[in-house]
């Protein structure tokens, strides 16, 4: 009996240890399940943040919006239209994205942006709904929806005096074209801040796009610092602009036919040489390689091409790749299966480039289109990350002198560096031009009201 007692204690002790180990293991597994979002949820989710209180107001009517253009043009349009809805006390329907443009992207708002976050994060400013109530739908013959594009570059007075009175007759107004419909300047600080809030906070990409974009950034960061080169040498840009420098006669004719095929590209006969000399053409890949070298980037620099399909493909990229062998694109960094869901959706692919361009150590656009402007504005907002705004008019002059052997490489490089000494994005006030809004500095490239230097421009 005495000898069996130690055995009992031994068995009891072992059982206790096993029980404690089992409990500890269950706790650890539970923590892992919570950490990776496996406990009742297939995706990890951050703890819910407190929503702003809803703004209580009497709605004057419903605003429908159909955006036009590429991703970044539509992004600015959405910001503008939220500001208009706030100004006029309207109920806004989640915007419709362009599906008829050159890119023929069938993506809906929710395929690119987090709809719930968009609605919830702005609930203290504007009441936003996913779709019109059924009683206001197209099947109701008593409801007349006014279809119209607002006047371009309009200020608050236009919307208050010309648009708001229309809601006494119509319950719903559908803005069927929204590019550049709100002025850059002359807008109240309150509305300017709201435009920024939509742009920098409310328009959040879907978790799938955010995740893949961040994966691209992580892969690039693992290789060191990198440059995002927005090489806007794509078919649509060349056709639209009529720029054919460096193209064969057959390629130039192909692009001209494309320009005639799209009725909204109004300029048909274009003097390519004149446009280039005015700095209105995107740099060719070969010109970009010379400019990067002149700016001091070394051959081993890691360069990410933020662009769609380059016109002419690998053949046209060869001079740039020869100068900078560490040239990468998203298609080279991601598994084709992973990227498949985004292909044939140009706006979703552009969203990935937007994320990488915003996070890059240096951002250099070869054309000042909508993406270049919005990325520059985001990088200003994030602390004036280095963005080089190229002076293409000066560059074309220098490039021609160098290629014609009129000046040496050293003279070319020093001239390029001197021309861009003060063209790195830094705190500055937007340029205002009376009665010439198209020529003013673009709000989304430099939303100085929302930046740290805002008091300098008051």
């Amino acid at each position: 009996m005495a000898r069996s007692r130690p055995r009992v204690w031994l068995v009891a002790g072992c059982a206790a240890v096993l029980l404690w180990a089992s409990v500890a293991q269950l706790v650890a597994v539970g923590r892992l399940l919570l950490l990776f979002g496996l406990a009742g949820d297939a995706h990890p989710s951050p703890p819910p943040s407190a929503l702003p209180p809803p703004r209580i107001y009497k709605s004057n009517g419903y605003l429908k919006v159909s955006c036009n253009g590429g991703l970044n043009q539509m992004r600015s349009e959405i910001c503008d239209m939220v500001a208009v809805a706030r100004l006029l006390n309207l109920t806004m329907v989640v915007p419709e994205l362009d599906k008829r443009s050159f890119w023929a992207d069938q993506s809906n708002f929710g395929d690119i942006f987090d709809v719930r976050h968009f609605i919830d994060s702005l609930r203290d400013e504007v009441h936003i709904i996913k779709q019109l109530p059924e009683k206001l739908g197209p099947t109701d013959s008593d409801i007349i929806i006014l279809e119209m594009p607002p006047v371009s570059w309009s200020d608050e007075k236009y919307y208050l005096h010309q648009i708001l009175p229309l809601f006494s007759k119509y319950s719903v107004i559908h803005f069927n074209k929204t590019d550049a419909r709100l002025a850059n300047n002359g807008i109240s600080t309150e509305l300017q801040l709201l435009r920024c809030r939509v742009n920098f906070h409310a328009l959040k990409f879907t978790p799938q796009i955010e995740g893949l974009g961040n994966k691209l950034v992580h892969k690039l960061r693992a290789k060191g610092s990198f440059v995002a080169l927005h090489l806007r040498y794509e078919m649509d840009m060349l056709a639209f602009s009529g720029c054919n420098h460096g193209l064969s006669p057959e390629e130039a004719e192909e692009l001209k036919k494309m320009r005639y095929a799209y009725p909204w590209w109004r300029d048909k006969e274009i003097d390519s040489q004149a446009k280039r000399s005015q700095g209105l053409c995107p740099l060719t890949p070969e010109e970009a390689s010379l400019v990067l070298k002149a700016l001091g980037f070394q051959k081993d620099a890691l360069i990410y091409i933020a662009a769609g399909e380059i016109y002419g493909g690998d053949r046209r990229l060869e001079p740039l790749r020869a100068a900078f062998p560490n040239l990468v694109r998203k298609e080279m960094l991601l598994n084709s299966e992973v990227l498949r869901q985004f292909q044939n959706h140009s706006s979703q692919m552009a969203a990935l480039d937007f994320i990488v361009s915003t996070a890059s150590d240096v951002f250099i656009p070869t054309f000042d289109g909508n993406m270049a402007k919005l990325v520059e504005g985001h990088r200003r907002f994030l602390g004036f990350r280095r963005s080089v705004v190229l002076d293409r008019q000066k560059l074309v002059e220098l490039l021609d002198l160098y290629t014609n052997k009129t000046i040496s490489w050293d003279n070319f490089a020093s001239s390029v560096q001197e021309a861009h000494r003060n063209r790195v994005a830094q705190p500055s006030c937007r340029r205002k031009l009376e009665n010439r809004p198209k020529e003013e500095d673009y709000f989304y490239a430099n939303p100085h009201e929302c930046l740290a230097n805002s008091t300098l421009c008051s």
Side-chain angles (χ1 to χ4, degrees):
M1 185 77 177
R3 282 184 299 177
S4 64
R5 187 172 296 169
R7 291 181 182 176
V8 171
W9 284 111
L10 180 62
V11 170
C14 291
V17 170
L18 286 171
L19 180 61
W20 179 87
S22 299
V23 171
Q25 192 170 19
L26 286 171
V27 170
V29 169
R31 287 175 176 171
L32 286 172
L33 289 173
L34 290 173
L35 179 63
F36 290 104
L38 297 174
D41 190 355
H43 300 286
S45 56
S49 56
L51 296 176
R55 177 170 168 257
I56 307 301
Y57 63 97
K58 180 182 178 182
S59 175
N60 289 316
Y62 293 88
L63 177 63
K64 278 191 68 178
V65 171
S66 290
C67 302
N68 57 291
L71 172 66
N72 291 285
Q73 180 174 309
M74 292 192 290
R75 186 183 188 111
S76 63
E77 295 167 23
I78 293 165
C79 299
D80 287 353
M81 292 302 107
V82 170
V84 169
R86 174 65 173 82
L87 175 68
L88 303 184
N89 285 335
L90 302 175
T91 298
M92 184 178 186
V93 182
V94 169
E96 298 173 348
L97 303 189
D98 191 342
K99 296 179 174 63
R100 300 182 301 158
S101 64
F102 168 85
W103 305 276
D105 187 343
Q106 297 303 303
S107 298
N108 294 314
F109 186 96
D111 295 320
I112 299 173
F113 300 110
D114 186 327
V115 179
R116 179 46 53 194
H117 176 78
F118 177 70
I119 293 173
D120 288 346
S121 65
L122 294 171
R123 68 201 297 257
D124 60 332
E125 295 283 0
V126 180
H127 182 211
I128 303 174
I129 57 178
K130 291 184 179 181
Q131 57 187 21
L132 284 173
E134 287 187 12
K135 65 178 182 178
L136 297 173
T139 57
D140 191 334
S141 58
D142 295 330
I143 299 297
I144 302 175
I145 299 177
L146 176 61
E147 305 256 352
M148 62 170 292
V151 174
S152 299
W153 310 110
S154 296
D155 59 14
E156 292 166 77
K157 290 180 180 178
Y158 164 78
Y159 286 99
L160 288 168
H161 298 158
Q162 301 296 322
I163 300 299
L164 185 57
L166 295 174
F167 283 96
S168 63
K169 183 177 180 181
Y170 303 97
S171 299
V172 183
I173 293 182
H174 178 199
F175 286 163
N176 52 19
K177 197 173 184 181
T178 53
D179 58 314
R181 305 294 154 157
L182 194 58
N184 291 311
N185 300 300
I187 303 296
S188 67
T189 301
E190 180 185 22
L191 280 193
Q192 298 288 54
L193 290 173
L194 178 55
R195 291 165 98 179
C196 291
R197 181 175 167 186
V198 182
N199 190 24
F200 300 129
H201 300 291
L203 286 177
K204 182 180 179 182
F205 292 126
T206 64
Q208 292 82 5
I209 290 176
E210 285 279 357
L212 201 54
N214 291 333
K215 184 175 182 179
L216 278 168
V217 173
H218 179 75
K219 283 177 172 288
L220 289 161
R221 284 262 178 266
K223 299 173 182 290
S225 61
F226 69 97
V227 178
L229 179 68
H230 185 219
L231 191 62
R232 194 67 170 93
Y233 204 77
E234 298 150 308
M235 180 179 280
D236 66 294
M237 173 50 65
L238 297 175
F240 169 74
S241 64
C243 296
N244 55 30
H245 178 73
L247 300 179
S248 69
E250 293 76 19
E251 288 173 325
E253 184 61 26
E254 178 186 34
L255 295 174
K256 182 178 179 180
K257 288 179 179 178
M258 178 182 294
R259 186 164 66 252
Y260 273 85
Y262 287 88
W264 51 86
W265 289 353
R266 288 171 295 182
D267 296 330
K268 303 300 181 182
E269 294 297 331
I270 298 175
D271 186 336
S272 174
Q273 186 174 353
K275 285 198 75 170
R276 180 173 176 270
S277 65
Q278 295 164 13
L280 300 177
C281 289
L283 297 182
T284 68
E286 183 175 10
E287 290 172 335
S289 68
L290 292 171
V291 170
L292 290 174
K293 287 172 63 178
L295 288 172
F297 291 98
Q298 301 300 309
K299 186 165 186 165
D300 61 352
L302 178 60
I303 298 178
Y304 175 87
I305 300 294
E309 185 176 350
I310 301 302
Y311 188 60
D314 289 339
R315 173 178 56 85
R316 185 131 297 127
L317 274 175
E318 192 51 44
L320 182 58
R321 184 176 288 107
F324 298 96
N326 289 332
L327 198 68
V328 295
R329 305 185 62 176
K330 52 186 169 291
E331 293 83 356
M332 299 167 60
L333 295 170
L334 296 173
N335 184 287
S336 59
E337 284 299 316
V338 173
L339 203 56
R340 189 185 304 279
Q341 62 179 312
F342 298 99
Q343 289 174 336
N344 300 321
H345 297 285
S346 60
S347 291
Q348 296 182 45
M349 296 286 270
L352 296 175
D353 283 338
F354 185 92
I355 292 171
V356 176
S357 296
T358 303
S360 63
D361 296 280
V362 185
F363 174 64
I364 304 178
T366 61
F367 189 75
D368 58 350
N370 289 295
M371 176 165 169
K373 291 171 180 174
L374 266 82
V375 170
E376 180 188 340
H378 267 68
R379 292 173 67 83
R380 285 173 176 268
F381 182 76
L382 294 171
F384 295 92
R385 294 175 177 175
R386 189 182 177 201
S387 303
V388 182
V389 183
L390 298 179
D391 183 345
R392 289 189 310 281
Q393 186 170 10
K394 182 64 176 177
L395 284 175
V396 164
E397 176 188 335
L398 292 171
L399 285 162
D400 288 346
L401 288 173
Y402 174 69
T403 54
N404 293 333
K405 300 187 182 337
T406 305
I407 59 174
S408 66
W409 171 257
D410 288 344
N411 285 337
F412 171 74
S414 62
S415 298
V416 168
Q417 292 174 23
E418 181 60 33
H420 293 86
R421 195 173 302 281
N422 297 316
R423 292 186 68 86
V424 176
Q426 54 193 322
S428 63
C429 303
R430 276 193 317 276
R431 180 181 51 167
K432 302 178 183 179
L433 298 172
E434 194 69 29
N435 300 320
R436 290 155 60 193
K438 291 184 180 180
E439 300 173 38
E440 292 181 331
D441 288 343
Y442 191 47
F443 174 80
Y444 292 99
N446 182 15
H448 65 66
E449 294 91 338
C450 314
L451 307 180
N453 65 310
S454 58
T455 55
L456 300 175
C457 304
S458 57

